Amino acid sequence: MEHLVNSKVKNIELSGIRKFFNMVAEYDDVISLTIGQPDFTTPEHIKEAGIQAIRDNFTTYTQNAGYIELREAASHYVKEKYQLNYSPDHEVIVTVGASQAIDCTFRTLLEEGSEVILPSPVYPGYEPLIKLAGGIPVYVDTTKSDFKLTADIIKPHLTEHTRCIVLPYPSNPTGVTLEEAELKEIADLVRERDIFILSDEIYSELVYGKAHHSIAKVLREQTVVINGLSKSHSMTGWRIGLLFAPEAVAKHILKVHQYNVSCATSIAQKAALEALTVGIDDASDMKKAYRERLDYVYNRLVNMGFEVVKPDGAFYLFPSINKFNKSSFDFALSLVKEAGVALVPGSAFSPYGEGYVRLSYAYSMDQLVKAMDRIENYLKKNDN
């Protein structure tokens, strides 16, 4: 009966990140730096709020858009942090993780043949959702602009079919972000055109040495902001995403969300309320630790001879491996077999990711030190 399966579903692939993660699980004594999973546990006060929600029998449906107190807290959060103004009643939707928010947005905004501009290399989760919504991914090479999608790079790719531009900053897999001036230039380019911006800001609280800026501050009416608690509060398994959009757009996204999941998990919503109020600055200690790890791993890689753009945020590095004359998959597999270290082949992040590997430093310093030592020994061994 497989021949009856929707062709759009048959033609998409499982994530290259997960495929490589599952493959290296077969090897013994491997330090895996593959998954963007914070090694911190969810803060205790947030866990207690979830437990209390169960005890209080807060286990029924909430409003489709989410528990109103949580939407109010989310509205206050982005205003306090990023100077964004959204009505909790009509412009905030609590989703089942940022991924569901992105899916609902694409299914709301795209029609058959709509083009979506993606900065590449890019997180592989966008392309399948675009295709399932009938859209066409348009990959734009950012490897020569320090992985930044700028207005000058976007302009040649705009057509009458362009419906959306994805701005995933800070970036997975590169960790770079855009400056306020760069965002303003993009806003000026698309203002008053029939083009939406999907601004994926899931790593907004993990920006180092500077402030995070959202394009929604200068292009509100054309922007859908995606955020959530997975990275900022180490709540990946709680599956709480946050979507912010003008009412004229949000009311339609809400219909897709409603028929998709009804509402986000009530218990997780109570925990999220605690995170966005009492825990509004919980990310600060995590960010300090990530910054220390970034500096350590970056310096080690540079001293080994890797070419790598130093990131501004998130918890990834994306070093070039072109000098080794191997495909990213072969290099990564060789590193697993010979050094016991797993990184993600850059080819998992679109064709423009070939020639790179992604390293996640969302792991303990002890693991990172061991991994860097193993990589250094691997390079010395293969130089001889």
Side-chain angles (χ1 to χ4, degrees), residues 8 50 56 71 98 123 137 144 150 162 167 183 205 217 224 242 257 279 282 284 320 322:
K8 289 178 181 176
D56 292 342
R71 283 182 279 141
Y123 173 64
K144 295 177 178 60
T150 62
T162 305
L167 296 182
L183 291 169
E205 280 297 277
K217 191 175 176 182
V224 177
L242 301 169
H257 167 74
D282 277 353
S284 59
S320 169
N322 279 319

Side-chain angles (χ1 to χ4, degrees), residues 349-362:
F349 303 95
S350 88
Y352 292 114
E354 184 53 69
Y356 299 86
V357 288
R358 190 192 76 174
L359 180 158
S360 170
Y361 54 88

Side-chain angles (χ1 to χ4, degrees), residues 163-204:
R163 180 64 60 83
C164 185
I165 299 169
V166 176
L167 296 182
Y169 294 104
S171 162
N172 173 8
T174 68
V176 304
T177 193
L178 296 183
E179 302 291 344
E180 187 174 19
E182 292 166 328
L183 291 169
K184 286 180 178 177
E185 288 177 357
I186 295 172
D188 290 341
L189 176 65
V190 303
R191 185 175 283 111
E192 297 181 4
R193 296 179 188 245
D194 292 334
I195 296 173
F196 288 100
I197 301 290
L198 188 154
S199 188
D200 185 350
E201 303 179 26
I202 191 67
Y203 294 98
S204 61

Side-chain angles (χ1 to χ4, degrees), residues 294-338:
L294 164 61
D295 290 342
Y296 172 77
V297 176
Y298 173 79
N299 289 331
R300 287 292 303 269
L301 291 175
V302 169
N303 289 335
M304 290 180 214
F306 284 97
E307 293 181 9
V308 56
V309 174
K310 190 168 187 180
D312 304 297
F315 36 59
Y316 307 106
L317 284 151
F318 204 61
S320 169
I321 48 96
N322 279 319
K323 64 187 286 186
F324 301 107
N325 298 314
K326 290 182 179 181
S327 71
S328 61
F329 181 87
D330 288 343
F331 179 87
L333 187 59
S334 173
L335 200 61
V336 170
K337 290 180 176 180
E338 298 183 38

Side-chain angles (χ1 to χ4, degrees), residues 111-284:
E111 296 181 296
E112 206 69 33
S114 296
E115 294 177 354
V116 180
I117 291 176
L118 293 165
S120 302
V122 69
Y123 173 64
Y126 302 113
E127 178 185 318
L129 299 180
I130 292 167
K131 289 182 173 179
L132 287 173
I136 301 169
V138 177
Y139 287 114
V140 176
D141 183 4
T142 64
T143 58
K144 295 177 178 60
S145 59
D146 288 342
F147 304 120
K148 292 188 174 190
L149 184 68
T150 62
D152 288 343
I153 297 174
I154 292 170
K155 192 171 183 179
H157 297 274
L158 296 179
T159 74
E160 61 182 6
H161 302 294
T162 305
R163 180 64 60 83
C164 185
I165 299 169
V166 176
L167 296 182
Y169 294 104
S171 162
N172 173 8
T174 68
V176 304
T177 193
L178 296 183
E179 302 291 344
E180 187 174 19
E182 292 166 328
L183 291 169
K184 286 180 178 177
E185 288 177 357
I186 295 172
D188 290 341
L189 176 65
V190 303
R191 185 175 283 111
E192 297 181 4
R193 296 179 188 245
D194 292 334
I195 296 173
F196 288 100
I197 301 290
L198 188 154
S199 188
D200 185 350
E201 303 179 26
I202 191 67
Y203 294 98
S204 61
E205 280 297 277
L206 302 179
V207 177
Y208 310 116
K210 60 178 71 175
H212 170 74
H213 298 284
S214 174
I215 195 170
K217 191 175 176 182
V218 291
L219 195 70
R220 186 183 190 280
E221 293 308 306
Q222 290 171 242
T223 301
V224 177
V225 175
I226 309 294
N227 213 312
L229 302 179
S230 290
K231 315 301 182 179
S232 61
H233 291 75
S234 195
M235 292 177 67
T236 53
W238 296 82
R239 308 312 302 135
I240 290 291
L242 301 169
L243 184 150
F244 305 88
E247 182 180 358
V249 177
K251 68 182 182 181
H252 296 294
I253 297 175
L254 181 59
K255 290 184 284 187
V256 179
H257 167 74
Q258 172 189 336
Y259 291 116
N260 185 214
V261 296
S262 295
C263 64
T265 305
S266 59
I267 297 158
Q269 287 192 53
K270 276 287 192 176
L273 177 62
E274 176 78 7
L276 293 178
T277 52
V278 177
I280 191 170
D281 292 319
D282 277 353
S284 59

